[in-house]
């Protein structure tokens, strides 16, 4: 049997077992409830169905847990066996008690069918489930062994293929190494030959370059001597030009100093006259205003020195600012 067939058989066993359990429970409740009611006080007769329910609940627990343990391949020990038989005997006793008290043998036989069937079904189902669990374990073990055998065969085949591939690679590598060594030997011989040719050519080139270098050095020595002579002459000429430039600058500074001193004396002379009571001639007034502007005198002071109005002096100051020409040159104009 394969795994699917085993699962189908286990499912049929479970369905049949629970159908028998359900029928036995219903039949037991209907049979035991009147008996319990007759032997219970009138006030508590409503509790009569509780007794068969409790016994049947114990039956359900036993069947269910036995099924779970059987699937796992385990055993619950002596207590589950005691509970299973105790519940079966109690169910049988309760079902046949009424007929037995009435000494009705036919009733005892009829009412013992369901409990006996329940007891035998529970034991048989447990045996079947253990057998199924054993069969499933054996099947799994065989399948695992077959799987491991297949894996082992695949591993061996893969290792053989890898070994062949490794041997082929090593053979190819050996051939390639020999080819490389042969090519390397040829290359070394060619390099040695080329190196000899190169050294000979280099020796000839070095000799030629040495001769050319000596010739160039002689020419460059002559050129260097000429260059130093030319630089010496240029340096002497530059020194003469620099001396002449400094002389010109000193002369220009002396002239500038003399001019500034002369302009200062002229401004001082123009401003030394003091305030006047009447207008001076315009040319003279312009010279005084220019000197006052250069000396940074106020407009009023310049107006007092030339006798002209402050407005006229202000206009001249503005002209001097706009033209931005030397004072004495403006005054001379």
């Amino acid at each position: 049997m394969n795994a699917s067939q085993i699962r189908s058989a286990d499912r049929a066993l479970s369905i049949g077992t629970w159908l028998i359990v359900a029928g036995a429970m219903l039949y037991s409740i209907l049979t035991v409830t009147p008996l319990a009611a007759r032997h219970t006080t009138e006030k508590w007769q409503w509790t009569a169905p509780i007794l068969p329910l409790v016994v049947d609940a114990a039956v359900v627990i036993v069947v269910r847990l036995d099924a779970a343990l059987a699937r796992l391949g385990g055993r619950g020990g002596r207590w589950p066996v005691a509970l299973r038989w105790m519940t079966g005997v109690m169910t049988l006793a309760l079902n046949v008690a009424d007929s037995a008290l009435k000494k009705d043998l036919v009733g005892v036989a009829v009412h013992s069918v369901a409990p006996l069937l329940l007891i035998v079904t529970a034991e048989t189902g447990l045996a079947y489930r253990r057998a199924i669990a054993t069969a499933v374990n054996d099947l799994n073990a065989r399948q695992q062994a077959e799987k491991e055998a297949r894996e082992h065969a695949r591993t061996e085949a893969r290792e053989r293929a890898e070994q062949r591939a490794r041997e082929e690679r090593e053979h190819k590598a050996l051939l390639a190494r020999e080819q490389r060594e042969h090519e390397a030997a040829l290359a070394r011989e060619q390099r040695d030959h080329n190196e000899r040719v190169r050294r000979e050519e280099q020796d000839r080139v070095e000799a030629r370059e040495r001769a050319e270098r000596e010739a160039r050095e002689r020419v460059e020595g002559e050129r260097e001597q000429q260059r130093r002579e030319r630089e010496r002459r240029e340096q002497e000429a530059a020194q003469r030009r620099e001396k002449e430039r400094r002389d010109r600058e000193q002369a220009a500074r002396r002239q500038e100093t003399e001019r500034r001193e002369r302009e200062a004396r002229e401004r001082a002379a123009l401003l030394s006259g003091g305030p006047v009571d009447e207008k001076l001639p315009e040319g003279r007034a312009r010279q005084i205003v220019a000197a006052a502007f250069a000396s940074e005198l106020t407009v009023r002071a310049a107006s007092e020195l030339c006798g002209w109005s402050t407005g006229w002096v202000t206009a001249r100051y503005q002209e001097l600012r706009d033209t931005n020409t030397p004072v004495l040159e403006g005054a001379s104009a």
Side-chain angles (χ1 to χ4, degrees), residues 124-186:
T124 306
L126 179 60
Y128 277 141
R129 287 193 176 91
R130 287 174 179 170
I132 290 172
T134 302
V136 170
N137 293 332
D138 294 340
L139 179 61
N140 292 334
R142 287 196 302 272
Q143 291 177 349
Q144 182 65 25
E146 293 174 357
K147 181 179 179 181
E148 291 177 355
R150 289 194 298 270
E151 290 291 335
H152 183 67
R154 283 196 295 268
T155 302
E156 289 182 349
R158 184 169 59 251
E159 290 177 352
R160 287 193 298 270
E162 291 176 353
Q163 179 66 24
R164 288 195 298 271
R166 184 164 55 251
E167 291 175 355
E168 291 177 358
R169 288 196 300 270
E170 291 176 354
H171 180 65
K172 291 180 180 179
L174 178 60
L175 294 177
R177 184 167 59 252
E178 292 176 353
Q179 180 66 23
R180 287 196 299 271
E181 290 175 354
H182 178 66
E183 292 176 354
L186 294 177

Side-chain angles (χ1 to χ4, degrees), residues 273-304:
V276 296
D277 296 332
E278 58 183 10
K279 290 183 179 181
L280 297 178
E282 184 175 355
R284 180 69 175 175
R286 285 180 177 272
Q287 293 178 354
I288 293 173
V289 170
F293 179 78
S295 299
E296 297 181 354
L297 296 180
T298 62
V299 173
R300 182 173 297 280
S303 176
E304 292 176 354

